[in-house]
Amino acid sequence: MEIELRENGGSVMKWSKKASCWQQDITRKEWGLIIIRSLGITGVTAWLYYRSVFMILPLIPMFVWHMKMLAKELEKKKETQFLLQFKEAIQAISSALNTGYSVENAVREAKKELQLIYTEEDRISKELAVMVRKIRLQIPIEQVFQELADQVQTKDVRSFVTVFAAAKKSGGDMIAIIRSTVQQIGDKIDVKREIDTLLAAKKYEFRVMSVIPYGMIGYMNLSFSEFMDGLYGNALGIGVMSGCLAIYLGAYYLGFKMIEIEV
């Protein structure tokens, strides 16, 4: 993301913040769905808590916060998908090494093999294409893998690259290292799947509990509208509903963190 600020004298200052590769992988369609979901929740909140669509403007921070949470959740999903793709890539490299290829040619063969499984839009396809181009430019293979680790910023990839570079310099058993890495990543993926299975019911309960306050307020508005009128259109009512909303958002954030487990 790059922003240009033009000063009075006409000079331009550029401020840029590089998005992670997982942010870059979020498609326009996915961003559209995130925005629609966040805007819908913000709109419903404005109506139920304040009975005014104009309150969407003061609730813009909530809209941005919710959008960031959804984007972060999607980024983690894409990172997990890449980990599985990386496992398959180094398995393909290991197979090529077994047949006598050099590491550089093994990367080329892995790219060809994974083209049959993944599209050009998948992250592993993009990274392997970049790696092959760098190899053609005679960039050392250790540097190629190090730049991959710098790009994806994933702990398992960094660990693999560190051990790979050390083994390459010392003449260690590359095939054994790759097999060990494949086993570790596979174990990690299996553990994550088990955790996701165990937490599936809790996550469902969390989503249901998150909707209940909205359902209760909506029910009260429909069934006891005269009773609820005192909470709208006056400073005291706005204050009470704002306090309730703040408590709800705090509880939602805590609940979200409780079911969020890093492997």
Side-chain angles (χ1 to χ4, degrees), residues 25-153:
D25 284 349
I26 299 178
T27 64
R28 290 183 178 180
K29 181 180 179 181
E30 289 170 335
W31 273 119
L33 292 173
I34 287 173
I35 292 172
I36 290 171
R37 284 182 62 184
S38 300
L39 187 59
I41 290 173
T42 306
V44 170
T45 301
W47 180 253
L48 288 178
Y49 280 83
Y50 302 103
R51 204 178 284 174
S52 171
V53 293
F54 296 106
M55 287 301 293
I56 289 178
L57 295 177
L59 291 176
I60 286 177
M62 174 185 166
F63 163 75
V64 174
W65 173 68
H66 192 268
M67 194 170 66
K68 286 182 177 179
M69 288 185 69
L70 291 177
K72 184 180 179 182
E73 189 175 352
L74 186 56
E75 287 170 29
K76 288 186 176 181
K77 181 179 178 181
K78 289 182 178 294
E79 186 176 359
T80 301
Q81 290 172 346
F82 172 77
L83 194 58
L84 180 59
Q85 296 168 5
F86 180 72
K87 174 188 172 184
E88 293 175 353
I90 57 178
Q91 279 179 324
I93 292 173
S94 177
S95 298
L97 289 173
N98 273 325
T99 58
Y101 284 98
S102 66
V103 179
E104 290 80 0
N105 287 329
V107 172
R108 293 190 180 99
E109 289 301 312
K111 177 179 178 295
K112 292 177 184 177
E113 185 175 331
L114 266 65
Q115 280 178 336
L116 303 175
I117 305 174
Y118 299 108
T119 68
E120 293 181 357
E121 298 303 315
D122 287 308
R123 172 53 55 182
I124 193 64
S125 299
K126 296 177 182 177
E127 296 301 334
L128 285 173
V130 171
M131 291 174 72
V132 169
R133 285 198 295 269
K134 290 176 179 178
I135 291 170
R136 286 174 185 164
L137 295 172
Q138 304 298 316
I139 296 175
I141 191 65
E142 298 94 327
Q143 182 180 340
V144 172
F145 273 104
Q146 184 59 56
E147 290 175 358
L148 167 66
D150 294 339
Q151 169 69 6
V152 299
Q153 292 293 314

Side-chain angles (χ1 to χ4, degrees), residues 47-48 51 214-229 232:
W47 180 253
L48 288 178
R51 204 178 284 174
Y214 284 79
M216 291 177 62
I217 295 174
Y219 173 77
M220 293 291 288
N221 272 304
L222 290 174
S223 303
F224 308 99
S225 57
E226 294 180 358
F227 174 77
M228 295 292 289
D229 285 342
Y232 300 105

Side-chain angles (χ1 to χ4, degrees), residues 156-172:
D156 295 278
V157 178
R158 287 199 299 267
S159 299
F160 167 74
V161 170
T162 300
V163 177
F164 172 86
K168 190 75 166 60
K169 290 178 181 178
S170 62

